[in-house]
Amino acid sequence: MSGGLAPPTLEEVRRAYEIIKREITLPTPLIHSPGLSEHLDAHVSIKLEAATPTSAFKVRGGIYLASQLDADVRKRGLVTASTGNHGQSIAYGAASAGTSATVFMPTDANPDKIAAIERFGGRVELVGERVDECFLAAAEYAHERGALYVEPVNQPTLIAGVATAALEVLETQQPDTDLVIVPLGGGTGASGWVTVRDGLGHPAGIWAAQSSLSPAVHDAWRSGKMETRPNQTLAEGIATGVVFDLPLGILRAGLNDFILVDDEQILAGLRQLWDLQHIMSEPAGAVGVAAADQERDRIAGKQVVIVVSGANATRDQLLKWLAD
């Protein structure tokens, strides 16, 4: 595990849930999709993690992390790096805890995500072409100013917070779930699902889905080697070329499978979400649908939950992707 960090327990996930639900409306919807069910020959439900104030599941982690800060840290503020969804979560959580947030983002970051971070009270710094370049800049900035650098993935409190979505599904909304397919960038979301599934002793399988153009975590999960990989996916919400050891340890111990799909498949999944269920998503939110479509023979006849997280696309992006 990362620097001796222990993964969260089911008990901490339960504590996180009680805190998070004071700030946002929970649970998020679990929607049965007749269209996707017919298309995939399975009982398919969508865990709509886009139904949050930031349109992504990560806000759960930001709220819980910020709630655990002591007074001194709150005075000094938070700093992080993000393509946008994690940054929104930290800005939102910081505001709920009465502290400040500075978010380092790539120079070509989604303008809607920049605007959202600023709307939540965060300050944005644009650095580098890819988010991997922002990590070092953010850490240095935090060190110089005595602020807390929130590493975007190697944080047990973030994992505990985002894991609350799994608690909703597996314990209450659909306990008879056979399989969950989770989008994966750095790995907090999938780690949370594994943590809750194992804590409950639930039999569901957990699959992660990632772009083949940014396959760092997929490759590390299969090989056990933490090596950088090209980071070229258009799905910015799951774009990372580096691996984080805390979630990797959780995933290698409990993830059942890890599916790679290319970006054209992800965009096809985005269109399927709209055509078959009228759900609007950014590409990162549609990667689970793409994985289900690719693996349809393996999921046939099962009770499947596909996590859809991220609806932070610009109008121009959506017009292009839906028209292709």
Side-chain angles (χ1 to χ4, degrees):
M1 297 300 176
S2 175
L5 291 175
T9 63
L10 181 64
E11 290 70 26
E12 183 175 7
V13 176
R14 293 192 189 282
R15 290 196 299 272
Y17 190 79
E18 294 304 310
I19 290 169
I20 296 164
K21 74 178 185 180
R22 299 172 197 157
E23 300 293 335
I24 62 174
T25 301
L26 296 180
T28 55
L30 183 71
I31 302 167
H32 172 58
S33 174
L36 285 170
S37 295
E38 180 180 59
H39 177 68
L40 296 169
D41 192 25
H43 182 283
V44 178
S45 297
I46 300 298
K47 180 58 170 170
L48 193 58
E49 286 295 276
T52 72
T54 67
S55 298
F57 77 97
K58 290 176 181 283
V59 70
R60 297 172 181 261
I63 291 170
Y64 181 56
L65 179 141
S67 76
Q68 302 303 293
L69 302 176
D70 61 32
D72 181 59
V73 173
R74 294 186 191 199
K75 289 179 182 178
R76 293 182 280 121
L78 306 179
V79 180
T80 196
S82 173
T83 57
N85 289 339
H86 165 71
Q88 289 183 69
S89 79
I90 297 303
Y92 192 97
S96 72
T99 187
S100 63
T102 300
V103 182
F104 281 72
M105 302 178 71
T107 55
D108 65 347
N110 182 319
D112 285 9
K113 293 182 179 181
I114 293 174
I117 289 170
E118 293 174 340
R119 190 177 300 120
F120 297 138
R123 190 170 69 84
V124 174
E125 293 278 351
L126 300 178
V127 177
E129 295 182 0
R130 307 298 294 180
V131 70
D132 308 324
E133 300 173 55
C134 298
F135 296 143
L136 181 59
E140 290 177 348
Y141 180 91
H143 178 72
E144 290 169 358
R145 287 158 178 78
L148 176 66
Y149 173 56
V150 180
E151 203 284 332
V153 181
N154 278 332
Q155 294 280 354
T157 49
L158 289 181
I159 295 174
V162 301
T164 55
L167 193 66
E168 291 170 353
V169 172
L170 298 181
E171 193 166 58
T172 305
Q173 290 178 315
Q174 190 171 292
D176 58 348
T177 295
D178 297 315
L179 174 66
V180 182
I181 305 178
V182 189
L184 189 144
T188 56
S191 297
W193 280 89
V194 169
T195 296
V196 169
R197 188 273 314 271
D198 291 351
L200 293 174
H202 196 286
I206 308 293
W207 293 0
Q210 188 168 54
S211 171
S212 59
L213 293 181
S214 296
V217 182
H218 168 273
D219 292 356
W221 180 78
R222 293 202 175 276
S223 71
K225 299 178 182 178
M226 294 180 56
E227 298 175 342
T228 60
R229 288 289 185 269
N231 181 18
Q232 299 171 333
T233 180
L234 60 77
E236 61 200 33
I238 55 170
T240 180
V242 298
V243 184
F244 303 89
D245 53 349
L246 175 58
L248 182 65
I250 298 171
L251 296 173
R252 295 201 83 221
L255 190 69
N256 297 98
D257 205 351
F258 204 141
I259 311 300
L260 283 183
V261 290
D262 64 37
D263 279 12
E264 286 304 314
Q265 290 174 285
I266 293 173
L267 292 182
L270 183 150
R271 291 188 286 271
Q272 287 175 1
L273 270 174
W274 180 256
D275 292 342
L276 299 176
Q277 193 54 46
H278 290 166
I279 288 175
M280 191 272 283
S281 172
E282 64 183 283
V287 65
V289 177
D293 196 38
Q294 177 176 285
E295 305 295 323
R296 62 171 61 196
D297 290 345
R298 296 173 61 197
I299 71 172
K302 296 183 183 296
Q303 294 260 13
V304 180
V305 170
I306 302 176
V307 178
V308 174
S309 174
N312 295 302
T314 67
R315 184 186 303 178
D316 287 345
Q317 286 174 327
L318 284 171
L319 288 172
K320 179 180 185 300
W321 292 331
L322 290 172
D324 287 347

